[in-house]
Amino acid sequence: MLVKFTCKDFTDVPMVESAVVHNEELGQLTIFAVNRDMKEALDFEADVRHSRGNSQLKDGRLKSIVRSLRLD
């Protein structure tokens, strides 16, 4: 489920922002994920079944929990 929030200037903003970098030379994918929620951890899932190379993930899916941005 995609969790979103609304603020003064924007609507339907994803709570988790992610980006993927593919290093063809090394055959690696690096996934960056940021949780904008200041209090709650959120689930994160990435489907990398169609990426090239050998995936060490079960069925090509990465499942993780992205911690909150709370600094205390």
Side-chain angles (χ1 to χ4, degrees), residues 9 21 23 29 41-42 44 56 70 72:
D9 297 322
V21 178
N23 182 326
L29 285 179
L42 296 173
F44 177 78
Q56 296 179 11
R70 185 174 52 208
D72 57 332

Side-chain angles (χ1 to χ4, degrees), residues 16-67:
V16 175
E17 181 69 34
S18 63
V20 178
V21 178
H22 179 224
N23 182 326
E24 287 187 44
E25 187 175 306
L26 297 176
Q28 295 176 337
L29 285 179
T30 302
I31 301 172
F32 299 93
V34 176
N35 178 359
R36 291 184 174 114
D37 193 312
M38 299 297 282
K39 297 179 182 176
E40 300 293 326
L42 296 173
D43 292 332
F44 177 78
E45 184 173 337
D47 185 341
V48 295
R49 289 178 289 176
H50 298 289
S51 66
R52 294 182 180 175
N54 296 324
S55 174
Q56 296 179 11
L57 304 173
K58 183 179 180 183
D59 74 8
R61 292 187 177 101
L62 168 70
K63 294 182 181 180
S64 183
I65 295 175
V66 183
R67 297 182 61 143

